Amino acid sequence: MEESKELQIQEKKVPHLVILPIPFQGHVNPMLQLANLLHSKGFSITVIHTNFHSPNPSNFPNFHFEFIADGLSDGKIWTEDPISAVYVLNDSCQEPFRDCLSRLLSDGPHGPVTCIITDVAFYCTEDVADQLKVPRILLGTSSASCVATMLSLKVLQQNGLISISDGEPNTLIPEIPPLRIKDIPDMGTADPETCERIGVGIHNAMRSALGYIMNTFDGLESTELAKFRQEIHPMPLFEVGPLYKFSPGSSNSILTQDYSCMAWLDKQAPQTVIYISFGSSGSFNEKDVVEIAWGLANSDQPFLWVLRPGSIHGHDLVKLPEGFEEKTRERGQIVKWAPQQEVLAHPSVGGYWTHNGWNSTLEGICEGVPMLCSPYLWDQNLNARYVSHVWKVGIQLENGFDRSEIEWAIRRLMVEIEGKEMRERVSALKENAMRCMAKGGSSYESLESLVDLIMSL
Ligand code: UDP
């Protein structure tokens, strides 16, 4: 930021931002990264967080924390049904949020609230912010491709041009290539009424928002960003990604990251290791895990595999097939949770097998690592399709988990010419990200415009 703008902030009173993330890993991380970035620009930050998945405030000494009740503490395993959890959160948090914001407005430790930044999925905040007359900006944590696709789909469905509910999953949708029916964002186990209510809530909550922030960059999604910008005009769109690069180390890891794998990575040859992680909420049946294990073992490639406790249906402890450990001891590491951004940036990592959550996809791209894709929920299918068929930096496993297909795909990615070409393409995207973040680049400038908007309030 130019010096004069910093001076302006100092001369004005320090703007006070209140942020409200959705308490799931893929939502909390970009929100805290954004908050950290805005703090570095001179703003004071209050985080209103649910008790569910609450971060430890001592890890964020620059922020003031307030905690609110959330309706998620009844023992249900919400990580397996995040869509229903979003609905419950909106239902339960509105009044606690209202009380908390009112208190901050009357006697908060950081003076008047300049603006709130909420996750776009926290649609219950619209009513509260409007009533209390606090400006509100949204953070969307999906890709621009996802949002643009949802818009196109809505128009096609409204005009009766498309019906996806009864089509064969592999059917291409000619109006939105290269997507197939199965690539359309999918709400998992949540019931259709809940999904409908969430969709309406989000749509309505966009009405009075002052702006929309996205964790992506123009050098990756220029067409989709242009489309979304046109759709929400005159509301400004700020694409400020990749946030984790602007604001390293500011994530809130819900599980403890095991750094011991970094020393192991140091001992491996450059670009030989495949890193495997399916995010914070994916879970598998026993048979899948057996197929993954033998696929990895038979590929003969070094691997670092994140196996979260509780990620195998019906088992608290992870049990791997007999003979697997013996066969892979020399070249495999398993951890419960990894420092993923550091792992992907490590020179020995040459491939990434992912579930294609948006943060993970962005991290793979911005570290220049080609991917194997095994999506299972919400926007992951669409992200995987973009990775394999638009950016052409990965291979999607289309038939679930089958050891021979896995073995073959790992080889294609790690040793064949096809993988080398993908690595070249993803390295070019990584360069684009760096250019967008540099002074004068689109993300840099977008961030400046966001700061200007907040300062004008
Ligand atoms: N992550 C991590 N350690 C792991 C696996 C994932 O720190 O072992 C982080 C990862 O860097 C990313 C986030 O968890 O920022 C996952 O977000 P994403 O949107 O990709 O997926 P979700 O977990 O929400 O499905």
Side-chain angles (χ1 to χ4, degrees):
M1 183 165 43
E2 299 133 32
E3 220 171 281
S4 59
K5 210 177 276 180
E6 266 164 4
L7 270 179
Q8 265 175 278
I9 290 186
Q10 282 161 19
E11 278 163 15
K12 248 183 133 183
K13 53 197 177 321
V14 174
H16 176 202
L17 305 179
V18 168
I19 66 160
L20 178 68
I22 286 276
F24 286 102
Q25 187 72 88
H27 292 255
V28 171
N29 276 3
M31 184 64 97
L32 290 176
Q33 288 152 6
L34 175 69
N36 211 37
L37 190 52
L38 292 172
H39 179 266
S40 75
K41 303 282 185 196
F43 299 161
S44 84
I45 308 282
T46 296
V47 182
I48 302 184
H49 203 287
T50 55
N51 290 322
F52 181 75
H53 278 169
S54 57
N56 180 352
S58 63
N59 293 336
F60 301 92
N62 294 325
F63 302 162
H64 168 71
F65 277 84
E66 296 281 340
F67 293 99
I68 57 171
D70 49 52
L72 293 188
S73 48
D74 62 0
K76 209 172 159 205
I77 307 167
W78 289 108
T79 40
E80 283 179 10
D81 189 2
I83 305 291
S84 302
V86 166
Y87 181 71
V88 173
L89 282 169
N90 278 284
D91 211 30
S92 313
C93 290
Q94 194 172 41
E95 290 318 311
F97 175 62
R98 189 190 309 278
D99 293 346
C100 185
L101 190 59
S102 308
R103 201 160 26 77
L104 288 173
L105 288 171
S106 58
D107 65 354
H110 298 292
V113 175
T114 314
C115 170
I116 63 174
I117 302 183
T118 76
D119 193 296
V120 70
F122 241 139
Y123 51 86
C124 70
T125 55
E126 183 209 16
D127 198 40
V128 177
D130 289 359
Q131 234 178 40
L132 297 175
K133 298 194 171 29
V134 184
R136 186 174 50 102
I137 298 177
L138 306 171
L139 171 67
T141 57
S142 311
S143 65
S145 321
C146 175
V147 185
T149 299
M150 295 307 275
L151 288 172
S152 303
L153 211 61
K154 202 167 131 213
V155 174
L156 289 168
Q157 283 175 321
Q158 273 166 356
N159 296 330
L161 294 173
I162 190 172
S163 159
I164 55 166
S165 49
D166 44 11
E168 202 277 315
N170 282 307
T171 311
L172 273 169
I173 308 174
E175 293 85 355
I176 40 175
L179 300 182
R180 303 157 297 181
I181 287 183
K182 71 177 186 186
D183 302 320
I184 298 305
D186 153 31
M187 299 287 195
T189 52
D191 74 276
E193 229 171 87
T194 303
C195 300
E196 176 69 20
R197 286 201 201 119
I198 294 175
V200 170
I202 292 177
H203 180 76
N204 290 345
M206 284 177 65
R207 287 174 304 201
S208 59
L210 282 190
Y212 197 110
I213 305 168
M214 276 195 148
N215 186 17
T216 187
F217 56 100
D218 190 71
L220 182 69
E221 299 195 284
S222 58
T223 312
E224 293 80 4
L225 278 165
K227 186 168 179 194
F228 188 50
R229 180 165 276 122
Q230 200 180 8
E231 183 68 26
I232 63 171
H233 180 79
M235 187 202 287
L237 174 63
F238 305 99
E239 72 274 21
V240 297
L243 277 167
Y244 86 99
K245 281 287 201 191
F246 269 121
S247 194
S250 50
S251 308
N252 173 54
S253 195
I254 284 165
L255 295 167
T256 306
Q257 293 173 321
D258 181 349
Y259 273 83
S260 67
C261 57
M262 299 307 288
W264 179 83
L265 284 174
D266 287 344
K267 293 189 207 119
Q268 311 305 314
Q271 293 185 346
T272 54
V273 175
I274 177 152
Y275 167 66
I276 304 110
S277 170
F278 301 117
S280 59
S281 58
S283 57
F284 311 92
N285 58 42
E286 253 177 294
K287 188 176 161 290
D288 292 339
V289 176
V290 170
E291 291 302 307
I292 295 170
W294 286 124
L296 287 173
N298 298 341
S299 75
D300 277 338
Q301 209 62 37
F303 64 86
L304 171 60
W305 183 6
V306 176
L307 255 177
R308 253 181 31 251
S311 60
I312 305 179
H313 296 307
H315 295 273
D316 287 339
L317 291 175
V318 170
K319 194 166 161 278
L320 292 165
E322 217 166 294
F324 170 76
E325 206 213 322
E326 205 183 347
K327 182 155 185 196
T328 60
R329 197 176 291 138
E330 300 299 320
R331 60 180 172 87
Q333 277 279 305
I334 295 181
V335 291
K336 291 180 177 153
W337 197 242
Q340 176 162 304
Q341 292 153 14
E342 287 93 329
V343 165
L344 287 169
H346 196 285
S348 69
V349 172
Y352 175 25
W353 186 4
T354 170
H355 71 309
N356 289 112
W358 181 238
N359 292 287
S360 297
T361 304
L362 208 50
E363 289 161 16
I365 289 172
C366 295
E367 299 308 336
V369 185
M371 290 169 247
L372 284 190
C373 307
S374 290
Y376 58 89
L377 181 73
W378 181 223
D379 58 347
Q380 298 157 13
N381 294 299
L382 183 139
N383 297 339
R385 188 70 172 167
Y386 267 74
V387 164
S388 59
H389 280 72
V390 177
W391 303 313
K392 298 185 169 58
V393 295
I395 300 165
Q396 182 164 356
L397 291 170
E398 299 283 359
N399 305 304
F401 298 103
D402 168 81
R403 67 185 76 182
S404 317
E405 192 186 357
I406 293 168
E407 179 189 341
W408 174 221
I410 292 177
R411 288 182 171 279
R412 283 169 65 195
L413 191 77
M414 304 298 290
V415 293
E416 302 287 330
I417 181 84
E418 201 183 347
K420 189 171 169 278
E421 287 166 1
M422 287 180 200
R423 191 160 299 118
E424 281 164 12
R425 282 193 286 270
V426 77
S427 299
L429 292 176
K430 175 182 172 178
E431 292 294 316
N432 283 356
M434 304 310 277
R435 258 196 301 278
C436 289
M437 290 173 66
K439 191 166 183 191
S442 51
S443 294
Y444 182 99
E445 293 304 323
S446 232
L447 186 59
E448 292 292 282
S449 310
L450 175 64
V451 170
D452 287 344
L453 172 70
I454 299 172
M455 279 173 59
S456 71
L457 297 173

